[in-house]
Amino acid sequence: RNTMHTAVARTSRALCTSAKPPTAIVMLNMGGPATLDKVEPFLTNLFQDGEIIPLGPFQERLGAFISSRRSKKIREQYAAIGGGSPIGHWTAVQGEGMCKRLDDLSPETAPHKAYTAFRYTDPDTEAALTQMKEDGVKRAVAFSQFPQFSCTTTGSSMNQLWRESKRLGLGDAFE
């Protein structure tokens, strides 16, 4: 986790030396609970998403029921691998590496900055979009971290990106 903070600090320093606003690379993924206390909220968000598991008018109640039933076993599994999902750390590392590579390959769109937009946990899409606005981003590229296109993964994340952009009044903020 210290590596993630280091990556963010390094990226922030690089941005401070550039007068040009960054090109955002929005890292889309479901995310994962960073701590054991975040397992049940993560599962609740996941199971209450009708784009992932359509349960119709019972979505909210069944989603909460399923997540409460699954939480204990899933917490045990995360405890066995260190107490949380490593996806936040690896997303930051991958994003930083991709931005360095893009800065070299495409200096005309540099600097590039990665923004994590997890679907079911923090940092979520709203946080990514808000930070992009604060950073003065004018150009953004959505990067799906899913290994294939599927309406239930990439589609759900892209839909959330557009919904949040509109809800926050940022629908036309980025090209």
Side-chain angles (χ1 to χ4, degrees), residues 30-34 38 42 45 88 116-125 127:
M30 289 184 177
K38 294 187 177 189
F42 170 79
N45 290 337
T116 300
F118 285 150
R119 188 72 177 87
Y120 305 112
T121 192
D122 294 327
D124 62 11
T125 305

Side-chain angles (χ1 to χ4, degrees), residues 20-167:
K20 186 177 170 189
T23 296
I25 308 299
V26 186
M27 309 291 283
L28 302 174
N29 205 317
M30 289 184 177
T35 65
L36 296 178
D37 290 338
K38 294 187 177 189
V39 169
E40 190 165 347
F42 170 79
L43 292 175
T44 300
N45 290 337
L46 175 70
F47 289 121
Q48 287 183 342
D49 181 358
E51 290 182 281
I52 296 290
I53 304 168
L55 301 172
F58 306 106
Q59 189 77 46
E60 202 168 307
R61 294 182 95 171
L62 276 174
F65 175 74
I66 294 167
S67 64
S68 69
R69 299 272 302 177
R70 299 282 301 142
S71 288
K72 183 178 186 247
K73 182 175 175 103
I74 301 301
R75 279 176 62 97
E76 290 169 1
Q77 292 172 347
Y78 277 113
I81 64 165
S85 172
I87 198 161
H89 165 77
W90 291 114
T91 298
V93 169
Q94 182 183 28
E96 180 184 8
M98 185 181 339
C99 288
K100 283 181 187 177
R101 184 89 170 127
L102 286 170
D103 286 349
D104 292 340
L105 291 172
S106 182
E108 65 277 5
T109 61
H112 298 87
K113 182 179 177 185
Y115 296 84
T116 300
F118 285 150
R119 188 72 177 87
Y120 305 112
T121 192
D122 294 327
D124 62 11
T125 305
E126 177 182 3
L129 289 167
T130 300
Q131 187 61 55
M132 288 165 56
K133 181 179 179 188
E134 289 175 14
D135 289 349
V137 168
K138 300 291 183 215
R139 183 169 190 259
V141 178
F143 177 75
S144 171
Q145 293 185 281
F146 301 107
Q148 75 289 329
F149 179 83
S150 167
C151 291
T152 57
T153 54
T154 303
S156 173
S157 293
M158 290 296 292
N159 288 341
Q160 183 67 8
L161 185 62
W162 296 125
R163 279 191 298 265
E164 285 297 295
S165 293
K166 288 179 185 173
R167 187 183 70 79

